Amino acid sequence: VPTGFLQFAPDLAVEIITPYVLEMDLHRKIHEYFAAGGRMVWTVYPDSKSVVVHHPHGHSRTYRAGDTLRDLELLPGFECPVVDIFTL
């Protein structure tokens, strides 16, 4: 089993954002995922119960309660109501 960091990015990365995350660090990390070949990054904000979906070409969209996350290209058939992410 290899140790250390993988030498490639996942197709989908999910970052849970805490109050202690600095915005410039988050932007750097998102850029690094895409520079390594990642295809999508979700930033999950528990305080506002929202999810921002980032794409490598710079487009992003915010999803809130009442919205449903879905991506037919990367995750065919996947659907998840945002409210379900924050429901225990």
Side-chain angles (χ1 to χ4, degrees):
V1 176
T3 60
F5 294 105
L6 299 174
Q7 297 303 311
F8 60 90
D11 286 337
L12 171 64
V14 179
E15 290 286 330
I16 309 300
I17 308 304
T18 68
Y20 307 104
V21 172
L22 297 176
E23 188 172 342
M24 76 174 169
D25 291 338
L26 175 60
H27 288 291
R28 177 189 49 77
K29 191 177 255 188
I30 291 169
H31 175 76
E32 288 173 355
Y33 279 126
F34 291 138
R39 295 174 54 195
M40 185 180 299
V41 177
W42 292 0
T43 49
V44 179
Y45 294 85
D47 288 348
S48 63
K49 295 185 174 37
S50 62
V51 178
V52 179
V53 176
H54 305 268
H55 298 274
H57 51 75
H59 172 76
S60 63
R61 178 176 172 198
T62 302
Y63 294 81
R64 294 182 171 80
D67 295 329
T68 299
L69 290 165
R70 62 175 63 91
D71 184 281
L72 299 177
E73 181 183 333
L74 187 59
L75 302 167
F78 173 82
E79 290 190 2
C80 179
V82 171
V83 70
D84 288 358
I85 294 172
F86 302 103
T87 303
L88 294 176

